[in-house]
Amino acid sequence: MEGSLKECRFCPRNCGANREIGLGACRSGNEIRIARAALHFWEEPPISGTKGSGTVFFTGCPLGCIYCQNREISQSSLPPGKTLSPKELSALFFGLAEQGAHNINLVTPTHFMPLIREALLMKKLPVPVVYNTSGYETVGALRELEGLVDIYLPDFKYADSDLSRVFSHAPDYPGICVSAIEEMVRQVGSPVYDEDGMMKRGVLIRHLILPGHTANSLAVLEEIARRFSGIPVSLMAQYTPPENFPEMEAFPELQRPITKREQQKVEDKLFSLGIDGFVQSRSARGERYLPDFHQFG
């Protein structure tokens, strides 16, 4: 495997940090740390199903969006949670599967990829593995996961590099995301479902509509239609304004939920482009939809 946690370059930040003695740009060291592991029922229908998705929320994040609703665990150097060895992580996966999880859902796994890979190689899981990511991935790291991941669930957050620079400090996001999704599609292709409508394999792209920035959403959908024919899209209307963060004051448009008109505009574009997928209700937002980051399987 290319790269090392002693000179970490597993994400596009390419920070080169020695994570064996300190933290990388992802705010993580050399041990797997999780904030939550439990059955989760709020994913798309072919992911959550009736029994729930076995979600494992990893702490830290290479992207660090200013509006992140999970910033308690993604942007803190001392997030809630516990550390696990790869062997313990593997056992956690099997525990969730034994609870009836339709799949094992790795949420924000990018910066722990080599350790997660080690856990997945120990023993094959009886359910599909979902790689749930911001879309900010290197092609090289994704190639290390070939044959270990069944379902890729990437975000496609921005087509506008100015927005990705301001909101995520990543002006290179649009191009990197396209290349990453191309690799995901190469590995697992379009979705394949079982007789109950559960996703067994394939790519499903997510896009979160940001208030005041529907032009970006329309451009993202156009890019998906042009490059990823046959790949469904989950259009998310769940944006929940984070509270008590001074850096948000410079962006008044982000201090409110999206409007019905904004959602309708983006939905109309999705349908006019003939993209298959899912549309989330605007009611699926607020604190009751935020995970409890103190729950373990």
Side-chain angles (χ1 to χ4, degrees):
M1 181 187 298
E2 292 185 5
S4 164
L5 290 176
K6 290 185 177 180
E7 189 178 346
C8 187
R9 304 192 187 279
F10 288 112
C11 88
R13 296 291 185 195
N14 198 33
C15 70
N18 184 347
R19 288 171 55 189
E20 294 197 353
I21 60 173
L23 304 181
C26 56
R27 300 173 180 82
S28 301
N30 67 338
E31 291 183 298
I32 300 165
R33 188 169 181 85
I34 65 168
R36 174 184 166 92
L39 298 180
H40 190 59
F41 296 89
W42 303 333
E43 306 285 33
E44 290 76 9
I47 302 295
S48 286
T50 57
K51 300 176 183 178
S53 177
T55 53
V56 180
F57 284 82
F58 295 91
T59 65
C61 178
L63 194 54
C65 305
I66 64 169
Y67 50 80
C68 180
Q69 68 181 24
N70 294 342
R71 63 193 302 163
E72 175 189 6
I73 67 167
S74 67
Q75 299 182 30
S76 170
S77 57
L78 292 171
K82 63 181 181 180
T83 58
L84 299 175
S85 68
K87 184 176 180 179
E88 290 170 328
L89 183 63
S90 176
L92 179 64
F93 293 160
F94 278 91
L96 289 168
E98 288 169 4
Q99 291 178 46
H102 290 291
N103 46 62
I104 299 302
N105 189 345
L106 312 174
V107 183
T108 318
T110 308
H111 46 299
F112 293 122
M113 184 278 291
L115 302 173
I116 293 170
R117 181 178 184 272
E118 185 178 340
L120 292 174
L121 283 168
M122 288 180 177
K123 186 178 178 181
K124 183 172 177 57
L125 284 160
V127 295
V129 174
V130 181
Y131 195 84
N132 187 335
T133 166
S134 69
Y136 199 54
E137 303 278 349
T138 68
V139 171
L142 291 172
R143 286 178 179 162
E144 299 286 351
L145 295 166
E146 187 163 6
L148 297 175
V149 170
D150 304 285
I151 298 167
Y152 281 104
L153 199 59
D155 289 342
F156 194 148
K157 294 179 180 291
Y158 312 104
D160 184 332
S161 60
D162 287 335
L163 280 190
S164 63
R165 174 182 56 81
V166 173
F167 293 161
S168 301
H169 310 291
D172 54 354
Y173 179 94
I176 282 176
C177 184
V178 165
S179 295
I181 296 176
E182 286 175 344
E183 173 61 19
M184 296 173 191
V185 172
R186 184 195 69 78
Q187 288 186 24
V188 298
S190 299
V192 176
Y193 304 92
D194 67 15
E195 62 275 10
D196 298 319
M198 296 303 300
M199 200 167 168
K200 297 168 56 181
R201 184 177 175 85
V203 177
L204 170 60
I205 300 172
R206 286 173 163 173
H207 175 70
L208 176 67
I209 305 169
L210 294 176
H213 295 287
T214 55
N216 174 64
S217 293
L218 303 185
V220 165
L221 293 178
E222 289 173 352
E223 190 78 347
I224 292 171
R226 184 168 71 87
R227 292 180 179 271
F228 303 114
S229 177
I231 303 299
V233 170
S234 176
L235 201 58
M236 299 188 295
Q238 70 187 40
Y239 178 80
T240 301
E243 298 179 354
N244 303 319
F245 293 103
E247 65 267 36
M248 292 292 293
E249 295 176 3
F251 308 101
E253 78 277 17
L254 296 183
Q255 297 175 36
R256 62 169 176 82
I258 67 168
T259 65
K260 182 177 180 180
R261 181 177 180 180
E262 286 174 324
Q263 180 172 3
Q264 191 63 56
K265 183 177 182 180
V266 181
E267 281 186 24
D268 288 347
K269 185 68 170 181
L270 180 80
F271 300 141
S272 71
L273 290 169
I275 298 174
D276 189 19
F278 307 88
V279 176
Q280 183 187 56
S281 167
R282 285 192 308 130
S283 64
R285 64 173 187 265
E287 290 187 2
R288 71 183 185 278
Y289 289 96
L290 302 182
D292 174 10
F293 293 123
H294 303 85
Q295 180 179 354
F296 299 94

